[in-house]
Amino acid sequence: NLMGEVLALTSLLGSILKFEGVLKIQAKASGVISLIVADFETPGNLRGYASFDSEKLQGFSQSPGFKDLMGEGYLAITIDQGKDMERYQGIVELGGRNLSDCALVYFGASEQILTKIKLASFRDKGTQCYRAGGIMVQHLPKGEVGAKRSLSDESLDGWDRASILMKSVKDEELTSPTLDLNQPLFRLFNEDGVRVFDAI
């Protein structure tokens, strides 16, 4: 399930790249999972890998939480635009209750863009397949790159409303094999007007 969430988060972030390149999310930790990594390569290639101690994992009497699995460590998000461009990397501690919390710490510290993320993953007992999904809402600043990112009262009200609506998304909506992704978008934001781009 955690691997599914990492892949979903990597897909979310990689799909908004405006150039050809690779986005990598990597967590190194002291827990049962020592390394978990996922790459998104434009236009939509995705892969993931996790290294873990299977004996320690068997020692959990119930479903372990994020902190049980990861322990202490760091999360790194790397954006590589190719050999002729400078690589960018942001690193944050593995704080918070889940992977979404860690990503929010990254956006607050590195990107300074108001962001909300929700991730979900589960194993379908019928097919024995894993399914994962996520939703991300960002407040994109106006003006020049590097300009002070302040919000007007009207903009802040819109951000608060979008954040509250996004929190109402159920895990089942993010992982359903039959639900068209336009349906939850319409349910949440139809009053605001939503543009849906071609799927990747």
Side-chain angles (χ1 to χ4, degrees), residues 17 33 36 41 84 98 107 135-136 150 161 177 184-185:
L17 291 177
I33 297 175
I36 192 164
E41 182 179 3
D84 297 327
N98 51 43
F107 276 105
I135 184 170
M136 176 173 69
S150 59
R161 182 172 175 276
L185 280 178

Side-chain angles (χ1 to χ4, degrees), residues 56-193:
K56 286 183 181 177
L57 189 60
Q58 297 299 324
F60 286 106
S61 57
Q62 58 184 6
S63 226
F66 179 75
K67 289 303 282 184
D68 296 324
L69 291 172
M70 300 302 294
E72 302 297 322
Y74 69 86
L75 177 79
I77 298 179
T78 307
I79 299 172
D80 189 344
Q81 301 180 57
K83 62 181 181 180
D84 297 327
M85 301 292 288
E86 190 173 340
R87 192 175 73 158
Y88 170 80
Q89 185 175 67
I91 300 174
V92 295
E93 288 186 21
L94 281 174
R97 299 161 295 149
N98 51 43
L99 182 63
S100 297
D101 286 351
C102 296
L104 293 181
V105 170
Y106 164 80
F107 276 105
S110 299
E111 298 292 325
Q112 297 178 344
I113 297 174
L114 290 175
T115 304
K116 296 290 182 185
I117 296 172
K118 184 170 185 179
L119 303 168
S121 179
F122 86 108
R123 185 177 187 181
D124 186 307
K125 293 181 181 176
T127 64
Q128 299 302 309
C129 292
Y130 285 87
R131 270 196 285 278
I135 184 170
M136 176 173 69
V137 176
Q138 286 189 315
H139 185 283
L140 300 180
K142 293 181 179 179
E144 298 176 10
V145 175
K148 186 177 179 182
R149 292 172 174 170
S150 59
L151 297 176
S152 65
D153 289 343
E154 181 183 353
S155 185
L156 188 57
D157 286 343
W159 169 251
D160 289 342
R161 182 172 175 276
S163 301
I164 290 168
L165 289 171
M166 193 213 79
K167 285 181 184 177
S168 71
V169 173
K170 297 176 177 61
D171 288 358
E172 296 77 24
E173 290 179 288
L174 296 177
T175 56
S176 170
T178 58
L179 185 67
D180 184 314
L181 293 179
N182 293 337
Q183 290 175 273
L185 280 178
F186 182 81
R187 178 178 73 78
L188 294 170
F189 303 116
N190 70 87
E191 293 181 9
D192 302 299

